[in-house]
Amino acid sequence: MTEENIKYNAPTEVREIEVLNSYELEKEAGKIVPKGGYDYISGGAGDEFTLKQNTKVWNKKGILPRVLADVEHPDPSTSILGHDIRAPFIMAPIAAHGLAHESKEAGTARGIAEFGTIMSISAYSGAKFEEIEKGLDGGPRWFQIYMSKDDELNKNILDEAKADGATAIILTADSTVSGNREKDQFNKFVYPFGMPIVSRYLTGSGKNMSLNNIYSQSKQKITPADVRFLKEYSDLPVFVKGIQSPEDAVLAIGAGADGIWVSNHGGRQLDGAPGSFAMLESISKAVAGRVPIVFDSGVRRGEHIFKALASGADIVALGRPILYGLALGGWKGVYSVLNYFDEDFKRVMQLAGTQTIEDVKNTNLVDLN
Amino acid sequence: MTEENIKYNAPTEVREIEVLNSYELEKEAGKIVPKGGYDYISGGAGDEFTLKQNTKVWNKKGILPRVLADVEHPDPSTSILGHDIRAPFIMAPIAAHGLAHESKEAGTARGIAEFGTIMSISAYSGAKFEEIEKGLDGGPRWFQIYMSKDDELNKNILDEAKADGATAIILTADSTVSGNREKDQFNKFVYPFGMPIVSRYLTGSGKNMSLNNIYSQSKQKITPADVRFLKEYSDLPVFVKGIQSPEDAVLAIGAGADGIWVSNHGGRQLDGAPGSFAMLESISKAVAGRVPIVFDSGVRRGEHIFKALASGADIVALGRPILYGLALGGWKGVYSVLNYFDEDFKRVMQLAGTQTIEDVKNTNLVDLN
Amino acid sequence: MTEENIKYNAPTEVREIEVLNSYELEKEAGKIVPKGGYDYISGGAGDEFTLKQNTKVWNKKGILPRVLADVEHPDPSTSILGHDIRAPFIMAPIAAHGLAHESKEAGTARGIAEFGTIMSISAYSGAKFEEIEKGLDGGPRWFQIYMSKDDELNKNILDEAKADGATAIILTADSTVSGNREKDQFNKFVYPFGMPIVSRYLTGSGKNMSLNNIYSQSKQKITPADVRFLKEYSDLPVFVKGIQSPEDAVLAIGAGADGIWVSNHGGRQLDGAPGSFAMLESISKAVAGRVPIVFDSGVRRGEHIFKALASGADIVALGRPILYGLALGGWKGVYSVLNYFDEDFKRVMQLAGTQTIEDVKNTNLVDLN
Amino acid sequence: MTEENIKYNAPTEVREIEVLNSYELEKEAGKIVPKGGYDYISGGAGDEFTLKQNTKVWNKKGILPRVLADVEHPDPSTSILGHDIRAPFIMAPIAAHGLAHESKEAGTARGIAEFGTIMSISAYSGAKFEEIEKGLDGGPRWFQIYMSKDDELNKNILDEAKADGATAIILTADSTVSGNREKDQFNKFVYPFGMPIVSRYLTGSGKNMSLNNIYSQSKQKITPADVRFLKEYSDLPVFVKGIQSPEDAVLAIGAGADGIWVSNHGGRQLDGAPGSFAMLESISKAVAGRVPIVFDSGVRRGEHIFKALASGADIVALGRPILYGLALGGWKGVYSVLNYFDEDFKRVMQLAGTQTIEDVKNTNLVDLN
């Protein structure tokens, strides 16, 4: 147990924030989130090659401005798995929001619910389901699971998530061990609070444990049978998250996946992998419309949302920028960030001559280099 | 209304200037133009990816030096829509020249007329037609329109422009909402003076209004029917400005456009778009000589003019460099900048072995990478 | 003889070290190894273009994260030429370990042996075979030869190496003269101690001699006949080291080589050459499984080991990072570095969905750019 | 006439110099050559894009290290137009050596002659033929001509060059006007001394005149007829210098050229052109061995000489590095630089497995990117 964890002081302010762009948000958050937590949130694996590629690869494809397109007040609303959402983005599952703000996941949940989209609750949440519900207040939620090696405990977790109202299960499959998070190693980072959802299968609460330690206590041998198990036991649709190849998309669908979640875990797992967006188009072709596709890893602007949808995603999930909003303004900060993305995306829709999400998805991007 | 607008002090000096290159001009202008105005003029949208691409893409194509070519005193004169001009470049339509110099559009117009090329008058001009005429003094002019949602007001504006002597209408079609100008947002920039031409359809004069606000009061749903309307009502040739795809060039010509204006609005509208020059060749192929092509966005050197013409443009339009000349020396500064481009372009013509504009247009560039 | 050589003070500490990554190791070593020695070890030839390419080229190929792969506790063990080794990496032959640590090659050898892989002993070792044996303690070893112009002396050296227990001969063929090591020239670097194995053919012990001088006294005209000679006289398998083209791989195999060692000498010889990894795949195709392939030059991370094996290498050889470990912690530092690579590589195996080295070798990388 | 010209103090020292590499030479020269002269020598046109490309393009092609090649003491000697030279490089024609050293062209000539290669004498030399002969002392020389608009004066110049012993004429055809040398404009650079060879056709001696002014007084309309005129009148072989396209190579040969000189004038003329080496291979294919090819622009290392020869050049011409040697050490400095290139090139020959210039020319380079 390090000194720093004893006195981890997460930000506490609740206020609307002005969002110039996501990169400024990151800088601002870096000024108020304690270093251990900030490095954990913002950092990636290894050389951070993949982390950097996640934002650089957007520049490989250009959006052409379109004219004489008869567009006004474009409509960004869409639906996924039966949920109507205001805009084609949802909250990505992220561990330990309490590192960003004392309101923890409840703060994020409230911002998400007020805006009108879907909350993903991480199995590594620092808050309990009932605490998060205080923010979500009946809003739609999906539950992301890191599996225990013991399926009885997994059933136990699924029961709880389902009782809480989760309408889908997200199986994170790209993290059977922790990525090489050098910043965390350098900081000797351990979580300053516990993880009540998975503590049932940890040798402790999660508090003062490293991510390495926690991942190693979770299940490594994840297989197609796990997808089937989750689906059958929960009777909920299951996303397989962490898909970065057409082969794995096909494998997951073959195992019964109801959705493909394209992600490289925000560059936090296998460094040396391509930027996530670089793989989207080929995965989308392999999926061929059989199940919906969620995209994450590197979404920082409205242009990125547009490019992801034009390349085969149905919606995107936002991660770090939301957590920076949480850090800077609690639930109101989250709300501000979501509004920023909404405004930014609608502007792109207008300038690209697209009235609806269907129009966006039918847009051809142009290759840059 | 911010403090800064109250005391906006535009430069006032009138003098010939030495032009080393456009980049130095920009730096020099940055020293004397108030920050809000300078950032407005020089800035682009979002990451400024497209703004930077506009100048970087020139390096994708090389001009081969040619020898034994029997060239001396190359002739840069050309003509467009019946106007004979000294050199294949004209003034691009730009809003609010008063940000750069107290002489406003009249200063620019005088420099343009003295040099001997065409002035584009922006609908967002800060000067009235009769004020600009003082500088233009009978010289050729085209009128660029941002349309009102009310066609009766559009007719009114067209009447006035035609009475002023405009010989063509430029329909800017890439700006149905404002681009994401982060610098303006950061500066909370509003115009320090009104816009007399479009004030008839604004809720105010334009003074102390943001670009966002003004664009949103202009027409969003621009369609091929608007091209036909402008053409029929004005009985003037119509350019569609903001073309960045072969598809839109074909669409515009189908709607009756008399000229295609290839532009991404100087990187100020849709960020994430390619550099404008990257799209020119494919657009030119689609146009196939049916109507003339004007090119803008990123022209900073004689080499760039040469490359644009060799890739299908008939003439180019110059924007920011002219405004920097205006800032630094009023109409004489504009004249100096035009002479710089003229000299620079003729040197390139000589070294590339081309005697006439026709020779330039028949030159093959070489792919670089 | 320069002042610096008189008082060359190699590091002496023996301790386990924490390894964040190889680049930090290099920086740390740079703080304690005397400048002449550090520049000699870390530097490359000419512009250091090839040196830098050696690490940059890894980013031309991406490893795709794989999911649902049923992997746990991946097994990195493999075997080469009859030796079972814990992990697919061995020690590369490097001259003059005494520049890094007072324990010289004996320190490296002990770390290698304790970990459980193969030591390559350089002909330009600063320690004698019997001194190195004190560290190796019976562990497996290969002997790397720089040939004398006099084959009788070569026989003499081979006799000694064989008596010492070498189970393979590595013929370094890419260094018939010294590369253009500008840092060494700038430092006027000479070795501060002798080279007992090759001193029999030098005009002196090697002490206070430059690399240029030593190379020029070694054999330049190396031919296929030398491969045959080494093989026949020693009755040991012979690697040809320094292969960077399919043509030379075929040539070496035709001359009887039992193994191909792909290397550009860590960017220390011919600058302007490609990064070593850039040539591996085509060489591997030419070798077509006839003999094993060892890869070196630029291996700094577990991801690199993975990429090399997936591109045709059977094992990799580690050079500079081991010497930095030696500098920082003697044999224990070497051991720490080997453990770092072992852990890092196993993590990559897990995240890439590979249980065995055979799985790694069957993995398809993805092209990046 | 500026103050600076009045007191231009060229370096005067005569000494052997240590050459680490050409880039260091440039830096060292920058410390002692007056700024106006240094900027003139080192600078390029416009953005210096082409200047930088001249050295960057080398990295598009790699030299593969070769092994088992049976090479020792490689032989760099070759011959061109009947001259046997020690190494495949000669002096490029450069104006006004007096900017670098008080010994002017005579200093360069002595270094060249002592080494044993060919001197190119520029028409814009600051020394007279008889002064240069003092250094050259009977050594081989070619004469580079900038033509007068008056052919009688051209005859006069040719007579003088021939009387001086020139064995070839180099027609510089890429400079019918001056490139856009921004540094010279900024410095308001004028030559601090006259040009005795061409002063017969200038309105003055050349002293206190700008390059722009001098070029404009030379001939612009250079045509194939000029090649024939030079050849017939002088009865000497004629190189056309400044070829950057296969088309112009064919044109020059058709006009009777006895050699093709591939050059973009060191990036000093048409900016936006490719790096000179990028065009060599296609030009060489068009020449198809009919006449010899000299290559210049960007040669800074032995590797570059190797790559140029392997891509079709017969010899290369060295420019700026020689002038830096002259600045730093007079004729002895020139000699040192030539020896550096000789040693560096022989090392590359050895490591690339090539015994003769013929072997170098038969080497296949590998594409990098």
Side-chain angles (χ1 to χ4, degrees):
Chain A
M1 194 170 93
T2 70
E3 195 68 9
E4 178 175 12
N5 285 293
I6 291 163
K7 37 177 203 179
Y8 192 92
N9 291 311
T12 59
E13 208 171 349
V14 179
R15 62 177 176 102
E16 286 177 23
I17 56 177
E18 279 195 64
V19 181
L20 194 63
N21 61 48
S22 299
Y23 311 107
E24 289 300 318
L25 266 188
E26 184 164 271
K27 277 188 220 162
E28 290 304 309
K31 293 176 188 166
I32 59 165
V33 175
K35 179 174 166 50
Y38 176 73
D39 283 355
Y40 170 85
I41 294 168
S42 61
D47 286 324
E48 298 194 334
F49 170 78
T50 300
L51 174 72
K52 287 170 205 148
Q53 284 299 108
N54 278 346
T55 45
K56 279 172 92 171
V57 285
W58 300 112
N59 291 339
K60 303 252 175 186
K61 294 278 185 180
I63 309 172
L64 290 176
R66 298 303 299 267
V67 301
L68 310 180
D70 200 13
V71 171
E72 187 171 22
H73 304 311
D75 175 10
S77 69
T78 189
S79 70
I80 184 146
L81 294 185
H83 294 286
D84 292 326
I85 49 181
R86 257 186 69 182
F89 45 82
I90 66 167
M91 179 66 198
I94 295 190
H97 298 204
L99 295 171
H101 196 267
E102 63 162 11
S103 63
K104 295 188 172 175
E105 283 75 6
T108 312
R110 182 164 175 194
I112 294 289
E114 299 262 0
F115 176 79
T117 188
I118 300 167
M119 174 74 183
S120 298
I121 297 175
S122 169
Y124 289 173
S125 169
K128 296 179 189 170
F129 285 115
E130 54 267 33
E131 289 166 336
I132 303 173
E133 172 58 20
K134 280 176 198 156
L136 255 181
D137 196 24
R141 76 206 66 186
W142 292 347
F143 175 68
Q144 175 267 333
I145 192 164
Y146 284 116
M147 294 181 80
S148 169
K149 294 172 185 181
D150 177 345
D151 268 348
E152 292 310 308
L153 294 178
N154 289 326
K155 287 179 184 174
N156 198 226
I157 292 171
L158 291 170
D159 290 343
E160 204 172 289
K162 203 165 168 185
D164 180 58
T167 57
I169 302 298
I170 305 160
L171 171 63
T172 298
D174 62 7
S175 304
T176 55
V177 296
S178 171
N180 175 28
R181 317 265 179 100
E182 296 189 354
K183 284 174 181 160
D184 291 357
Q185 290 170 52
F186 182 82
N187 292 331
K188 303 196 189 306
F189 176 76
V190 294
Y191 292 100
F193 44 72
M195 294 176 173
I197 298 173
V198 296
S199 62
R200 66 197 78 196
Y201 70 72
L202 300 179
T203 61
S205 72
K207 183 170 174 176
N208 292 328
M209 290 167 67
S210 72
L211 182 60
N212 248 332
N213 185 356
I214 292 170
Y215 269 133
S216 69
Q217 296 187 43
S218 304
K219 188 174 194 174
Q220 272 74 55
K221 288 178 76 71
I222 296 179
T223 71
D226 291 296
V227 179
R228 284 187 290 270
F229 163 78
L230 292 173
K231 186 168 167 157
E232 283 165 19
Y233 186 80
S234 72
D235 205 27
L236 290 174
V238 171
F239 283 96
V240 178
K241 178 169 176 283
I243 302 291
Q244 287 286 285
S245 62
E247 291 79 359
D248 279 358
V250 168
L251 180 66
I253 292 172
D258 303 282
I260 291 298
W261 195 301
V262 174
S263 169
N264 61 24
H265 215 110
R268 300 162 80 81
Q269 286 296 106
L270 180 55
D271 198 39
S276 186
F277 176 62
M279 300 310 300
L280 176 56
E281 193 173 351
S282 62
I283 293 170
S284 168
K285 281 183 185 154
V287 169
R290 287 178 286 174
V291 297
I293 295 176
V294 181
F295 175 85
D296 79 33
S297 298
V299 179
R300 299 291 179 271
R301 286 192 178 277
E303 286 89 346
H304 303 166
I305 301 173
F306 190 99
K307 289 178 184 179
L309 268 60
S311 300
D314 291 281
I315 58 170
V316 305
L318 302 173
R320 290 182 182 96
I322 303 292
L323 235 52
Y324 299 140
L326 181 68
L328 292 163
W331 77 265
K332 287 187 178 176
V334 169
Y335 187 75
S336 298
V337 172
L338 291 163
N339 274 314
Y340 162 77
F341 275 98
D342 189 46
E343 288 303 316
D344 201 36
F345 178 62
K346 285 189 292 188
R347 174 169 40 218
V348 177
M349 286 183 76
Q350 174 77 36
L351 296 174
T354 51
Q355 185 69 44
T356 66
I357 294 298
E358 202 54 31
D359 292 343
V360 175
K361 293 173 81 167
N362 288 330
T363 298
N364 291 316
L365 302 179
V366 65
D367 285 323
L368 304 178
N369 45 34
Chain B
M1 193 171 94
T2 71
E3 195 67 9
E4 179 175 11
N5 284 293
I6 291 164
K7 36 175 204 180
Y8 192 92
N9 291 312
T12 59
E13 208 172 350
V14 179
R15 61 175 177 104
E16 285 177 23
I17 57 176
E18 279 194 65
V19 181
L20 195 62
N21 60 50
S22 298
Y23 312 106
E24 289 300 318
L25 267 188
E26 184 164 271
K27 278 189 221 161
E28 290 304 309
K31 293 176 187 165
I32 59 166
V33 175
K35 179 175 166 50
Y38 176 73
D39 283 353
Y40 170 85
I41 294 168
S42 61
D47 286 324
E48 299 193 333
F49 169 79
T50 299
L51 175 71
K52 288 171 205 149
Q53 283 299 109
N54 279 346
T55 46
K56 278 171 91 171
V57 287
W58 299 112
N59 290 338
K60 303 251 174 188
K61 294 277 186 182
I63 309 171
L64 290 176
R66 298 304 298 266
V67 301
L68 310 180
D70 199 14
V71 171
E72 187 172 23
H73 304 311
D75 176 8
S77 69
T78 188
S79 70
I80 183 146
L81 294 186
H83 293 287
D84 291 326
I85 49 181
R86 256 187 69 181
F89 45 82
I90 67 168
M91 180 65 196
I94 296 190
H97 298 204
L99 295 171
H101 197 265
E102 64 162 9
S103 63
K104 293 187 174 176
E105 283 75 6
T108 311
R110 180 162 177 197
I112 293 289
E114 299 264 358
F115 176 79
T117 189
I118 301 167
M119 175 73 182
S120 299
I121 297 176
S122 169
Y124 290 173
S125 170
K128 296 178 189 170
F129 285 116
E130 55 267 34
E131 290 167 337
I132 302 172
E133 172 57 19
K134 281 178 197 155
L136 211 41
D137 195 23
R141 73 205 68 184
W142 293 347
F143 175 67
Q144 175 267 331
I145 192 164
Y146 284 117
M147 296 182 77
S148 167
K149 294 172 185 180
D150 178 346
D151 268 347
E152 292 311 308
L153 294 177
N154 289 325
K155 288 179 183 173
N156 199 228
I157 292 171
L158 289 170
D159 290 344
E160 205 172 288
K162 205 166 167 182
D164 179 58
T167 57
I169 302 298
I170 305 160
L171 170 63
T172 297
D174 61 6
S175 303
T176 55
V177 296
S178 171
N180 175 28
R181 317 265 180 100
E182 296 189 356
K183 284 173 180 160
D184 291 358
Q185 291 170 51
F186 182 82
N187 292 332
K188 303 197 188 307
F189 176 77
V190 295
Y191 292 100
F193 43 73
M195 295 177 173
I197 299 173
V198 295
S199 61
R200 67 196 79 195
Y201 69 72
L202 300 179
T203 60
S205 72
K207 182 170 175 177
N208 292 328
M209 289 167 67
S210 72
L211 182 60
N212 247 332
N213 185 356
I214 292 170
Y215 268 134
S216 68
Q217 296 186 45
S218 304
K219 188 175 194 175
Q220 272 74 55
K221 287 178 77 69
I222 296 179
T223 72
D226 291 296
V227 179
R228 284 188 288 272
F229 164 77
L230 292 171
K231 185 167 170 158
E232 284 165 19
Y233 186 79
S234 71
D235 205 26
L236 290 173
V238 172
F239 282 97
V240 178
K241 177 168 176 284
I243 301 291
Q244 287 286 284
S245 62
E247 291 80 357
D248 278 359
V250 169
L251 179 66
I253 293 172
D258 303 281
I260 291 298
W261 195 302
V262 175
S263 169
N264 60 25
H265 215 110
R268 299 161 81 80
Q269 286 296 106
L270 180 55
D271 198 40
S276 186
F277 176 62
M279 301 310 301
L280 175 56
E281 193 174 351
S282 62
I283 293 170
S284 168
K285 281 183 185 156
V287 170
R290 287 176 287 174
V291 297
I293 295 176
V294 182
F295 175 86
D296 79 32
S297 299
V299 179
R300 298 293 179 270
R301 287 193 177 277
E303 287 89 345
H304 303 166
I305 301 173
F306 190 99
K307 289 177 184 180
L309 267 60
S311 302
D314 291 281
I315 59 168
V316 304
L318 301 173
R320 289 182 182 96
I322 302 292
L323 236 52
Y324 299 140
L326 180 68
L328 292 163
W331 78 265
K332 288 188 177 174
V334 170
Y335 187 75
S336 297
V337 172
L338 291 163
N339 275 314
Y340 162 77
F341 275 99
D342 189 44
E343 287 303 316
D344 201 35
F345 177 62
K346 285 190 292 191
R347 172 169 40 217
V348 178
M349 286 184 76
Q350 174 77 37
L351 296 174
T354 52
Q355 186 68 44
T356 64
I357 293 298
E358 202 54 30
D359 292 343
V360 175
K361 293 172 81 165
N362 288 328
T363 299
N364 291 316
L365 302 178
V366 66
D367 286 322
L368 303 177
N369 46 32
Chain C
M1 194 170 93
T2 71
E3 195 66 11
E4 179 175 11
N5 285 293
I6 291 164
K7 37 175 204 183
Y8 191 92
N9 291 312
T12 59
E13 207 171 351
V14 179
R15 63 177 175 102
E16 286 178 22
I17 57 177
E18 279 194 65
V19 181
L20 195 62
N21 61 50
S22 298
Y23 311 106
E24 289 299 318
L25 267 187
E26 185 163 270
K27 278 188 220 162
E28 290 304 308
K31 294 176 188 165
I32 59 166
V33 175
K35 180 175 164 51
Y38 176 73
D39 283 356
Y40 170 84
I41 294 168
S42 62
D47 286 325
E48 299 194 334
F49 169 78
T50 300
L51 175 71
K52 287 170 204 148
Q53 284 299 109
N54 279 345
T55 46
K56 278 171 92 171
V57 285
W58 300 111
N59 291 339
K60 303 254 175 185
K61 294 278 186 181
I63 309 172
L64 289 176
R66 299 303 299 267
V67 301
L68 310 180
D70 201 13
V71 171
E72 187 172 22
H73 304 310
D75 176 11
S77 69
T78 189
S79 70
I80 184 145
L81 294 186
H83 293 287
D84 292 327
I85 48 180
R86 254 187 69 181
F89 46 80
I90 68 167
M91 179 66 197
I94 297 189
H97 298 203
L99 295 170
H101 197 266
E102 64 163 8
S103 62
K104 294 189 173 175
E105 284 74 5
T108 312
R110 179 161 177 197
I112 294 289
E114 299 262 358
F115 177 78
T117 189
I118 300 167
M119 174 75 183
S120 298
I121 297 174
S122 169
Y124 289 174
S125 170
K128 297 178 188 169
F129 285 116
E130 55 267 34
E131 289 166 336
I132 302 172
E133 172 58 19
K134 281 179 198 154
L136 256 182
D137 195 22
R141 75 206 66 187
W142 293 347
F143 176 68
Q144 175 267 333
I145 193 164
Y146 283 117
M147 295 182 79
S148 168
K149 295 172 185 183
D150 178 346
D151 269 346
E152 292 311 308
L153 293 177
N154 288 326
K155 288 179 183 172
N156 199 227
I157 291 171
L158 289 170
D159 290 344
E160 203 171 290
K162 203 165 169 185
D164 180 58
T167 57
I169 302 297
I170 305 159
L171 171 63
T172 298
D174 61 6
S175 303
T176 55
V177 296
S178 172
N180 175 27
R181 317 266 179 101
E182 297 189 355
K183 284 173 181 161
D184 290 358
Q185 291 170 53
F186 183 82
N187 292 331
K188 303 198 190 304
F189 176 76
V190 294
Y191 293 99
F193 43 73
M195 295 177 174
I197 298 173
V198 296
S199 63
R200 66 197 78 195
Y201 69 72
L202 300 177
T203 62
S205 72
K207 182 170 176 178
N208 292 328
M209 290 168 67
S210 73
L211 182 61
N212 248 332
N213 186 355
I214 292 170
Y215 269 133
S216 69
Q217 296 187 43
S218 305
K219 188 173 196 176
Q220 271 74 55
K221 290 178 75 71
I222 296 179
T223 71
D226 291 296
V227 180
R228 285 187 289 271
F229 163 77
L230 292 172
K231 187 167 166 152
E232 284 165 19
Y233 185 80
S234 71
D235 203 27
L236 290 174
V238 171
F239 283 96
V240 178
K241 177 169 176 282
I243 302 292
Q244 288 285 284
S245 63
E247 291 79 359
D248 279 358
V250 168
L251 180 66
I253 292 172
D258 304 282
I260 291 299
W261 195 302
V262 174
S263 170
N264 60 24
H265 216 110
R268 299 163 80 81
Q269 286 295 105
L270 180 54
D271 198 39
S276 188
F277 176 62
M279 301 310 299
L280 176 57
E281 193 173 351
S282 62
I283 294 170
S284 167
K285 281 183 186 155
V287 170
R290 287 178 286 174
V291 297
I293 295 175
V294 182
F295 175 85
D296 78 33
S297 298
V299 179
R300 297 292 178 270
R301 287 193 177 277
E303 286 89 346
H304 303 167
I305 301 173
F306 190 99
K307 288 178 184 179
L309 268 62
S311 301
D314 291 282
I315 59 169
V316 305
L318 302 173
R320 290 182 182 95
I322 302 292
L323 236 52
Y324 299 139
L326 182 69
L328 292 163
W331 76 265
K332 287 187 179 175
V334 170
Y335 188 75
S336 297
V337 172
L338 291 163
N339 274 314
Y340 161 77
F341 275 99
D342 189 45
E343 287 303 316
D344 202 35
F345 178 61
K346 286 189 291 189
R347 173 169 41 217
V348 177
M349 286 184 75
Q350 174 77 36
L351 296 175
T354 51
Q355 185 69 44
T356 66
I357 293 299
E358 202 55 30
D359 292 343
V360 175
K361 294 173 79 167
N362 288 329
T363 298
N364 291 316
L365 302 178
V366 65
D367 285 323
L368 303 177
N369 45 33
Chain D
M1 194 173 92
T2 71
E3 195 67 10
E4 179 175 13
N5 284 293
I6 291 163
K7 36 175 205 183
Y8 192 92
N9 291 312
T12 60
E13 207 172 349
V14 178
R15 62 174 177 105
E16 286 177 23
I17 57 176
E18 279 194 65
V19 181
L20 195 62
N21 60 50
S22 299
Y23 312 106
E24 289 300 317
L25 267 186
E26 183 163 271
K27 278 188 221 162
E28 290 304 309
K31 294 176 187 166
I32 60 166
V33 175
K35 179 174 166 53
Y38 176 73
D39 283 355
Y40 170 85
I41 294 168
S42 61
D47 287 324
E48 299 193 333
F49 169 77
T50 300
L51 174 71
K52 287 170 204 150
Q53 284 299 109
N54 279 346
T55 46
K56 277 171 92 171
V57 286
W58 299 112
N59 291 337
K60 303 251 175 188
K61 295 277 187 181
I63 309 172
L64 290 176
R66 298 303 298 264
V67 301
L68 309 180
D70 201 13
V71 171
E72 188 171 21
H73 303 311
D75 176 9
S77 69
T78 189
S79 70
I80 184 145
L81 294 186
H83 294 286
D84 293 325
I85 48 180
R86 255 187 70 181
F89 46 81
I90 67 168
M91 180 65 197
I94 296 191
H97 298 205
L99 296 171
H101 197 265
E102 64 162 8
S103 63
K104 293 189 174 174
E105 284 74 7
T108 310
R110 181 163 177 197
I112 294 289
E114 298 264 359
F115 176 80
T117 190
I118 300 166
M119 175 74 182
S120 298
I121 296 175
S122 169
Y124 289 174
S125 170
K128 296 178 189 169
F129 285 115
E130 54 268 34
E131 290 167 335
I132 302 172
E133 172 58 18
K134 281 179 199 154
L136 212 40
D137 195 22
R141 73 206 68 185
W142 294 347
F143 175 67
Q144 175 267 333
I145 192 165
Y146 284 117
M147 295 183 78
S148 168
K149 295 172 187 183
D150 177 346
D151 269 346
E152 291 311 308
L153 294 176
N154 290 326
K155 287 179 184 172
N156 199 227
I157 291 171
L158 290 170
D159 290 343
E160 204 171 289
K162 205 168 167 180
D164 179 57
T167 56
I169 303 297
I170 305 160
L171 171 62
T172 297
D174 61 6
S175 304
T176 54
V177 296
S178 172
N180 176 27
R181 317 265 179 102
E182 296 190 354
K183 284 173 180 160
D184 290 0
Q185 291 172 52
F186 183 83
N187 293 330
K188 303 196 190 305
F189 176 78
V190 295
Y191 292 100
F193 43 75
M195 295 177 175
I197 299 173
V198 296
S199 61
R200 66 196 78 196
Y201 68 73
L202 300 178
T203 61
S205 71
K207 183 171 174 177
N208 292 328
M209 290 168 68
S210 72
L211 182 61
N212 247 334
N213 186 354
I214 292 171
Y215 269 133
S216 68
Q217 296 187 44
S218 305
K219 187 174 196 175
Q220 272 73 57
K221 288 178 75 71
I222 297 180
T223 72
D226 291 296
V227 179
R228 284 187 289 272
F229 164 77
L230 292 173
K231 187 169 166 152
E232 283 165 21
Y233 185 78
S234 70
D235 204 26
L236 289 173
V238 172
F239 283 96
V240 178
K241 177 168 176 284
I243 302 291
Q244 288 285 284
S245 63
E247 290 80 359
D248 279 358
V250 168
L251 180 66
I253 292 172
D258 303 281
I260 292 299
W261 195 303
V262 174
S263 169
N264 61 24
H265 216 111
R268 299 161 82 79
Q269 285 296 105
L270 180 54
D271 197 40
S276 187
F277 176 63
M279 300 311 300
L280 176 56
E281 193 173 350
S282 62
I283 294 170
S284 168
K285 281 183 185 155
V287 171
R290 287 177 287 174
V291 297
I293 296 175
V294 182
F295 175 86
D296 79 32
S297 299
V299 179
R300 297 292 178 271
R301 287 193 176 277
E303 286 90 344
H304 303 166
I305 302 173
F306 190 98
K307 289 177 184 180
L309 268 60
S311 301
D314 290 282
I315 59 167
V316 305
L318 301 173
R320 291 182 181 96
I322 302 292
L323 236 53
Y324 299 139
L326 181 69
L328 292 163
W331 77 265
K332 288 188 179 175
V334 170
Y335 187 75
S336 297
V337 172
L338 292 162
N339 275 314
Y340 162 78
F341 275 99
D342 189 45
E343 288 303 316
D344 202 35
F345 178 61
K346 286 190 291 191
R347 173 170 38 217
V348 177
M349 286 183 76
Q350 174 76 37
L351 296 174
T354 52
Q355 185 68 45
T356 66
I357 294 298
E358 203 54 30
D359 293 342
V360 175
K361 294 173 81 166
N362 288 329
T363 298
N364 291 316
L365 302 178
V366 65
D367 286 323
L368 301 178
N369 46 33

